[in-house]
Amino acid sequence: MTEPPGPTEWGQGPGVGPWEGDPPDDPRYDPELLRSGDTRNVVDAYRYWTREAIIADIDARRHPLHVAIENFGNDANIGGVVRTANAFAVDTVHIVGRRRWNRRGAMVTDRYQRLRHHAGTAELLDFAADAGLDVVAVDNVPGAARLEDVALPRECLMIFGQEGPGITDDAKTGARLTVSIAQFGSTRSINAAVAAGIAMHAWIRQHADLDRAW
């Protein structure tokens, strides 16, 4: 069964109108979008493409970086993490614990991003071991290395936790490395979705081929 359009995917907004001239003879293009225009939240390179074609192209560009979200109390953060992971062509976003989450913050990017659910952290760590991924916990805890100073592993799974409790004891034990983000103000912690974006971008700066960025 085809999923219904997301709340922002087909609404009014920036985009392009109907295709002008003869339509391209290319199976990546969606005939309906060519006729009606494309106002989806996608980069210009993917205008008029089918969802399946976009996913296939991103799959060829994905990085060996995975991110995991441990039981966020405010699950609106999950959508922000998914949206950022999509922007950085992260391989997979892993959601640990509750399967249901508020997709509004993802701005429909969950339709193009690989997602995987795990019942608990132990299951997530087993996945990482089988996939040959080094686990990096991101949390402002004593003894954590500065994210700004460390060399992040290329084949990597980053774990993020709730803003209050932080990562679980299982994640702390299973991580090869724990990193913290340098802070200078009065707040005890950074918003979890923001922290995830900072950490993902740190990986991008170290390992991504920036010539392939849009």
Side-chain angles (χ1 to χ4, degrees):
M1 180 177 177
T2 303
E3 293 183 45
T8 62
E9 187 160 11
W10 303 103
Q12 297 298 319
V16 290
W19 184 275
E20 297 182 2
D22 295 332
D25 183 17
D26 187 328
R28 294 176 299 181
Y29 287 85
D30 185 312
E32 177 59 30
L33 293 176
L34 291 171
R35 285 191 297 269
S36 303
D38 188 353
T39 60
R40 296 174 300 172
N41 178 27
V42 297
V43 296
D44 288 345
Y46 291 146
R47 288 296 181 200
Y48 303 111
W49 285 27
T50 67
R51 176 186 173 194
E52 293 73 20
I54 293 172
I55 293 172
D57 194 72
I58 298 173
D59 282 347
R61 300 162 52 84
R62 292 193 193 277
H63 296 115
L65 170 63
H66 294 240
V67 298
I69 306 163
E70 270 195 326
N71 301 317
F72 277 8
N74 176 10
D75 71 359
N77 281 312
I78 296 178
V81 174
V82 170
R83 184 180 181 183
T84 304
N86 169 268
F88 292 143
V90 163
D91 187 284
T92 304
V93 175
H94 302 263
I95 300 173
V96 182
R98 293 175 54 194
R99 184 181 293 273
R100 293 178 62 84
W101 54 279
N102 186 340
R103 295 174 183 260
R104 188 177 184 85
M107 295 293 288
V108 199
T109 56
D110 56 301
R111 289 171 166 264
Y112 308 96
Q113 176 60 49
R114 292 176 182 166
L115 303 173
R116 182 164 178 166
H117 177 260
H118 302 270
T121 302
E123 181 181 309
L124 172 72
L125 295 174
D126 286 343
F127 163 84
D130 291 343
L133 299 172
D134 288 318
V135 177
V136 177
V138 182
D139 200 0
N140 284 358
V141 294
R146 291 287 190 201
L147 173 64
E148 296 78 12
D149 295 332
V150 301
L152 294 168
R154 187 169 186 276
E155 284 75 28
C156 178
L157 168 67
M158 290 182 172
I159 302 181
F160 306 92
Q162 288 181 243
E163 293 174 32
I167 58 173
T168 61
D169 289 339
D170 285 346
K172 293 175 185 175
T173 302
R176 170 190 155 188
L177 175 67
T178 300
V179 299
S180 63
I181 298 169
Q183 296 179 203
F184 302 91
S186 63
T187 182
R188 289 172 54 86
S189 64
I190 299 172
N191 171 271
V194 173
I198 292 170
M200 283 186 264
H201 190 254
W203 187 97
I204 290 292
R205 291 189 64 185
Q206 293 183 27
H207 296 293
D209 179 1
L210 298 182
D211 289 337
R212 301 188 70 193
W214 299 121

